[in-house]
Amino acid sequence: MSLSQPSPLSPASWHRPMVARLSDEQHRTATMLELFFDLCFVTAVAQAATAFEHELAGGHIGHGVLGYAMVFFAIWWAWMNFTWFASAYDTDDVPYRLLTLVQITGALVLAAGASQALQHEDFTVITWGYVIMRLAMVTQWLRAARSDPERRSTCLRYAVGIFVVQIGWVVRLALPEDTGLATFGLLVLAEIAVPAWAERSATTTWHPHHIAERYGLFTLIVLGESITAATGAVHAALDSHTALGDLAALVVGGILTVFALWWLYFARSARVHDRLTTLRMALLWGYGHYLVFASAAAVGAGLAVNVAHTTGHGHLSDRSAAAVYTIPVAVFVTLVWLLHHRTGGLRRAADVLHPVAVLAVLAATFAPSPVLVTGIITALLIAATLVLSARGDAGGQTDEGTTAGTDTGTGTPPAAAEGPHTPPGS
């Protein structure tokens, strides 16, 4: 039994059985609640990026990167778990909405503790915010277990697994400080193992189109947050009577870079769902977005650090200031290429464009104007892919370099490539 798209909230929708939705449901799109969820979550992203910027500007690069990676994991993992659950079990009834709002509240608590966790290694507030989000998720899985007998074992595995790991996070707060990093790593491994373990019982009916859209929308919001952070840094510099001409290279380079990253991500997004046909591919694609989201937010922080460096603030060398910008850009380009573009060996000119661009971006760290050079390189990457794509189309090929009417990188018809979701090992 599957549930069709919920109708707008009405007196009859105070409660619906939380049965599985169709994985091939027509016209499945993100809901207003999901968009609200994303906008609230980006508050936590913004707080983490701001604290990261302060650590970098203060010269604490190693400490800042480690703290940022830890804080961003909590944001990304809670967002990801809600997204995949909603794709399979969104009922849009009153209990579902209320539990989602509880998760949003947890995200706001997490946001409030982001700077303390990143800058002072005080994870108390951020842990409680995270646990609030995850316990709300446990309740959602228990609802699904009650209404979906076919996947009850899977839902219960999720509920039990998440609950046990949350006990671990709370216990971690009472452990000696010198065990903090080791216990964090163990709990992260436990968190990411839960979906793989739970889905072995029976695969949930997540919707490939819906998942691809949700990830795209969150990428869009995070890139927007990067622009907001950079704009704030430029505004602060101008308020301190810095001449606009001194910032021109940073402004132009930053704009070119963010525009190119947006273009790069969405250039192939329409075909992403074709690859989400197995649980293994879905997990790799979903987990890989940790670095996509984190690097996108870090680009804004890196640009803000370079603005501060140009105006004589901060404690970084020229090369270090350049690196905190070029490395996140290189990571973003690499991950998008691996997740969206690359489908096989390096067989064509288009296949080597992204690796070459990544190397060029990293080399820009040593250029006189690294932000501007990075912007030019990423813009040239987009231009080159457009030219090669046009030539491929003229030669009777798709934008991925395969013959028209075949699935990307496989040579098989799209209908054959899309098959049903299958659990690992099948």
Side-chain angles (χ1 to χ4, degrees):
M1 181 179 182
S2 297
L3 188 68
S4 61
Q5 178 73 24
S7 60
L9 195 64
S10 64
S13 59
W14 280 92
H15 181 272
R16 292 189 179 99
M18 190 171 271
V19 294
R21 298 184 63 154
L22 293 172
S23 60
D24 58 353
E25 181 180 327
Q26 296 296 310
H27 311 298
R28 180 74 190 276
T29 59
T31 66
M32 293 300 103
L33 180 59
E34 287 175 321
L35 295 178
F36 183 51
F37 186 90
D38 289 357
L39 289 172
C40 292
F41 254 69
V42 84
T43 303
V45 173
Q47 292 299 312
T50 299
F52 184 40
E53 174 197 336
H54 291 162
E55 286 291 283
L56 295 176
H60 312 300
I61 295 179
H63 184 269
V65 170
L66 179 60
Y68 179 68
M70 295 170 73
V71 171
F72 207 92
F73 172 82
I75 300 169
W76 161 75
W77 189 246
W79 177 89
M80 177 175 163
N81 275 246
F82 167 79
T83 296
W84 289 78
F85 175 85
S87 189
Y89 288 108
D90 183 356
T91 58
D92 199 32
D93 60 2
V94 170
Y96 176 84
R97 288 189 173 192
L98 291 176
L99 286 169
T100 301
L101 294 177
V102 170
Q103 289 177 268
I104 291 174
T105 302
L108 298 178
V109 173
L110 187 152
S115 61
Q116 286 295 313
L118 205 153
Q119 295 178 277
H120 305 291
E121 299 183 13
D122 182 358
F123 284 85
T124 303
V125 175
I126 200 172
T127 297
W128 286 112
Y130 181 78
V131 170
I132 289 171
M133 290 187 289
R134 304 297 280 144
L135 291 182
M137 197 76 258
V138 169
T139 307
Q140 297 277 41
W141 281 114
L142 291 175
R143 278 196 68 195
R146 180 179 180 182
S147 301
D148 187 6
E150 183 179 348
R151 299 168 189 84
R152 180 166 295 155
S153 177
T154 297
C155 296
L156 290 175
R157 284 188 180 195
Y158 269 112
V160 171
I162 294 171
F163 183 77
V164 169
V165 178
Q166 299 325 293
I167 295 175
W169 287 115
V170 174
V171 170
R172 178 177 177 271
L173 294 177
L175 296 178
E177 290 186 5
D178 57 0
T179 64
L181 186 58
T183 54
F184 182 88
L186 290 174
L187 288 168
V188 165
L189 291 176
E191 288 276 17
I192 63 178
V194 169
W197 170 61
E199 298 277 344
R200 286 184 179 275
S201 178
T203 307
T204 51
T205 58
W206 41 270
H207 193 288
H209 286 267
H210 178 245
I211 289 294
E213 181 191 27
R214 294 287 290 113
Y215 274 74
L217 289 172
F218 199 66
T219 301
L220 196 68
I221 293 173
V222 173
L223 286 173
E225 170 53 35
S226 291
I227 293 179
T228 301
T231 301
V234 172
H235 184 271
L238 294 176
D239 283 346
S240 64
H241 308 293
T242 301
L244 182 59
D246 296 336
L247 301 174
L250 294 176
V251 171
V252 173
I255 290 174
L256 284 175
T257 301
V258 175
F259 286 0
L261 297 186
W262 168 83
W263 197 304
L264 180 66
Y265 185 92
F266 291 99
R268 303 290 191 274
S269 61
R271 296 184 62 88
V272 165
H273 65 273
D274 290 341
R275 303 177 188 181
L276 302 181
T277 55
T278 67
L279 179 62
R280 178 179 177 275
M281 287 301 299
L283 290 177
L284 289 174
W285 189 82
Y287 288 3
H289 270 75
Y290 167 73
L291 289 175
V292 173
F293 295 154
S295 61
V299 167
L303 184 56
V305 168
N306 275 270
V307 171
H309 181 72
T310 300
T311 58
H313 299 85
H315 301 84
L316 295 178
S317 66
D318 291 346
R319 297 287 78 81
S320 296
V324 300
Y325 183 76
T326 57
I327 291 176
V329 173
V331 170
F332 185 95
V333 174
T334 300
L335 264 295
V336 171
W337 174 63
L338 291 173
L339 297 175
H340 284 192
H341 295 249
R342 185 172 180 267
T343 57
L346 303 180
R347 299 183 299 272
R348 304 174 296 115
D351 292 326
V352 300
L353 280 178
H354 296 80
V356 169
V358 168
L359 293 176
V361 167
L362 293 175
T365 304
F366 305 95
S369 299
V371 174
L372 179 59
V373 172
T374 298
I376 293 173
I377 291 170
T378 53
L380 289 175
L381 171 62
I382 300 304
T385 56
L386 289 174
V387 169
L388 290 176
S389 177
R391 290 180 179 177
D393 290 341
Q397 293 182 320
T398 67
D399 60 357
E400 291 287 340
T402 55
T403 57
T406 62
D407 180 61
T408 301
T410 64
T412 57
E418 283 192 10
H421 302 154
T422 54
S426 62

